[in-house]
Amino acid sequence: VQLMESGGGSVQAGGSVRLSCEFSGIPLKLNGMRWYRQAPGKKREMVAANTTGGTSDFADFVEGRFTVSRDNARNMVYLQMNDLKFEDASVYYCASVYHGGWIWGQGTQVTVCV
């Protein structure tokens, strides 16, 4: 049972990136999930919460720039991030509840540059 993020990298400010989270060993269609991020020296913060029905709630700082989509057949969830700001630079994690406990991916780094 694991989650694995991918898709991070270096992006120019104002640009876009799509992160992926692959669910292995647990069926995505039965699970909600969340995206979190953590910048150096800062607390981990929630970015988005996605339900089994596909709806999402976002943190205030997202301001309409991010969307979440899921492909239950492929057990994949995506975080599309547009109009990236310098303050979006972080390690991004996906997480879900499994058997009463949280499981986390290893994280993927997003760097925002000039």
Side-chain angles (χ1 to χ4, degrees):
V1 176
Q2 67 174 1
L3 306 181
M4 182 172 295
E5 304 91 341
S6 61
S10 183
V11 185
Q12 284 189 320
S16 300
V17 68
R18 188 178 79 160
L19 306 183
S20 301
C21 174
E22 181 177 10
F23 278 51
S24 297
I26 54 174
L28 172 62
K29 64 181 180 180
L30 300 180
N31 287 274
M33 62 82 60
R34 295 182 182 180
W35 286 98
Y36 285 83
R37 70 185 188 184
Q38 187 169 21
K42 294 188 177 181
K43 293 182 178 179
R44 189 170 296 189
E45 58 184 356
M46 193 182 77
V47 176
N50 180 257
T51 69
T52 54
T55 59
S56 298
D57 289 321
F58 296 91
D60 290 343
F61 60 75
V62 170
E63 298 176 326
R65 299 176 297 128
F66 301 173
T67 58
V68 176
S69 60
R70 55 165 61 204
D71 183 339
N72 288 336
R74 296 185 177 184
N75 270 354
M76 297 289 293
V77 184
Y78 305 99
L79 177 64
Q80 176 70 41
M81 303 192 293
N82 301 322
D83 191 21
L84 284 164
K85 304 177 181 181
F86 294 116
E87 53 264 40
D88 294 319
S90 285
V91 178
Y92 284 76
Y93 301 88
C94 58
S96 187
V97 174
Y98 180 70
H99 284 187
W102 283 94
I103 55 172
W104 295 82
Q106 83 289 348
T108 186
Q109 175 76 50
V110 174
T111 302
V112 182
C113 57
V114 176

